[in-house]
Amino acid sequence: MRAMILDQPGQPLTLRDWPVPEPHGRQVQLQVLACAVCRTDLHVVDGELPNPKLPLVLGHEIVGRVTLVGEQASLLSIGQRVGVPWLGWADGECAFCRAGQENLCPNARFTGYTLDGGYAEYTVADERYCVPIPEQYSDPEAAPLLCAGLIGYRSLTKTGDAKRLGIYGFGAAAHIIAQVARYQGRSVYAFTRRGDQQAQQFARGLGAVWAGASEERPPEELDAAIIFAPVGALVPAALAAVRKGGVVVCGGIHMSDIPSFPYELLWGERSVCSVANLTRQDAAEFMAIAPRVPVHTTTQPFPLQQANEALNQLRGGKLQGAAVLLPM
Ligand SMILES: [Zn+2]
Ligand SMILES: [Zn+2]
């Protein structure tokens, strides 16, 4: 099969012939139908996340069709369409796993990071961590739901019942979660790079009541904010925009350093928290709510061999919605 391979962080991916992975135990083999490109992939390519498997097949927003099942697989069968998200495996035994926090499992394995992922024609995944895909979504439409949607949803739940919700960084996750927030009766305030009229217009088109630059103060105090952009300076900016008792949720896996800021910004029982990974419970909840909203995803298709181009466009902030690789 063909796969886009990362040999070393800092280098572009290369298209190569690669052995088709065989499923063992509870794994299934999947033909990749679509795989979305996530900012986390960029962090791995740029060497900002430690100790990736190398050489590595990136990609953790995989829509695939089961082509083979491992000798112990019992949940999935050949021909089924499923999704493969970032959480590829957890031990099920540690204190975190037993407390329903498998996202924090110290032995967890992650698709497209410590396990090979979906920038390829075939992949394997543990059937217990595969996610059902609602039928009405096409393969490319469904792919961004698997991380932008799931991590976005977990970030959204951390804001409780906040009515006025700020979203910093209006990319793949934001464009999905803005739709869910609006469906839940919240008002979305979208913050983008200064002068990014296109992103601001995109946000308004998805129902944001206000869109402006990240440095700006919104017209009203916010009840909560989610930061999807990997920019630490947005933490004090968001705290300054949030009311007393409000929360600022950092939704990314990596962020530049947070600059020091006056305690006054945190005072008043404001809080800052991060979202790490996802649980299967998040996936079940989000995949139930997405078709009810219904969430529509905006995608830009790329052939598999143009993965570097897709990553570069993401880096440059040139994408609207999510880039999706199509191996066929
Ligand atoms: Zn991701
Ligand atoms: Zn565990």
Side-chain angles (χ1 to χ4, degrees):
M1 70 165 184
R2 297 175 314 149
M4 290 297 286
I5 306 293
L6 176 71
D7 286 300
Q8 274 305 320
Q11 293 174 5
L13 314 183
T14 53
L15 182 70
R16 293 225 288 276
D17 272 326
W18 201 250
V20 177
E22 294 293 324
H24 298 292
R26 306 278 318 245
Q27 288 178 330
V28 294
Q29 182 193 68
L30 299 155
Q31 180 185 15
V32 178
L33 304 170
C35 183
V37 175
C38 175
R39 183 165 289 282
T40 298
D41 303 345
L42 258 190
H43 294 313
V44 175
V45 170
D46 292 345
E48 289 164 334
L49 298 183
N51 307 319
K53 169 192 177 293
L54 291 174
L56 174 68
V57 181
L58 286 163
H60 57 268
E61 302 185 87
I62 307 166
V63 177
R65 195 170 297 286
V66 178
T67 42
L68 281 175
V69 297
E71 55 280 5
Q72 274 137 37
S74 58
L75 301 172
L76 297 180
S77 43
I78 290 173
Q80 256 180 291
R81 184 177 76 146
V82 291
V84 184
W86 172 246
L87 182 70
W89 186 85
D91 61 22
E93 292 170 356
C94 72
F96 290 112
C97 282
R98 281 186 276 119
Q101 294 177 299
E102 61 187 3
N103 59 310
L104 303 180
C105 177
N107 298 312
R109 294 177 198 151
F110 300 106
T111 312
Y113 179 38
T114 55
L115 299 167
D116 279 332
Y119 286 22
E121 290 175 321
Y122 289 87
T123 191
V124 289
D126 188 307
E127 61 170 358
R128 292 166 292 182
Y129 294 84
C130 291
V131 174
I133 302 280
E135 235 170 62
Q136 60 264 55
Y137 289 99
S138 70
D139 305 328
E141 280 169 348
L145 300 176
L146 288 158
C147 186
L150 294 185
I151 298 285
Y153 181 73
R154 189 171 175 87
S155 304
L156 182 63
T157 59
K158 298 267 183 200
T159 68
D161 59 0
K163 278 272 177 279
R164 286 166 308 195
L165 176 70
I167 301 183
Y168 287 77
F170 214 84
H175 99 283
I176 291 173
I177 260 17
Q179 297 173 58
V180 180
R182 214 178 140 212
Y183 168 78
Q184 294 174 333
R186 308 175 196 242
S187 302
V188 171
Y189 298 74
F191 297 82
T192 72
R193 299 184 208 206
R194 187 197 297 276
D196 193 345
Q197 296 297 336
Q198 222 183 354
Q200 291 171 14
Q201 211 173 353
F202 183 49
R204 284 191 206 99
L206 289 169
V209 295
W210 177 90
S214 301
E215 302 81 6
E216 279 179 61
R217 284 290 186 94
E220 284 91 32
E221 272 197 316
L222 304 175
D223 297 314
I226 304 173
I227 303 176
F228 289 121
V231 181
L234 293 176
V235 172
L239 278 170
V242 161
R243 65 158 168 81
K244 286 190 282 189
V247 60
V248 173
V249 180
C250 302
I253 193 169
H254 172 82
M255 197 180 238
S256 56
D257 285 354
I258 300 169
S260 72
F261 56 86
Y263 178 56
E264 191 190 339
L265 289 182
L266 188 63
W267 171 250
E269 302 197 343
R270 292 174 180 85
S271 57
V272 177
C273 73
S274 67
V275 158
N277 314 318
L278 71 141
T279 65
R280 285 173 281 180
Q281 184 62 30
D282 298 325
E285 285 175 22
F286 176 68
M287 287 303 181
I289 199 172
R292 287 207 306 268
V293 172
V295 169
H296 292 288
T297 57
T298 301
T299 58
Q300 289 193 32
F302 290 83
L304 174 63
Q305 61 269 25
Q306 282 179 23
N308 289 308
E309 174 63 18
L311 287 164
N312 285 335
Q313 289 199 18
L314 177 59
R315 183 184 280 110
K318 296 197 182 82
L319 291 167
Q320 208 162 76
V324 178
L325 301 178
L326 301 172
M328 291 306 120

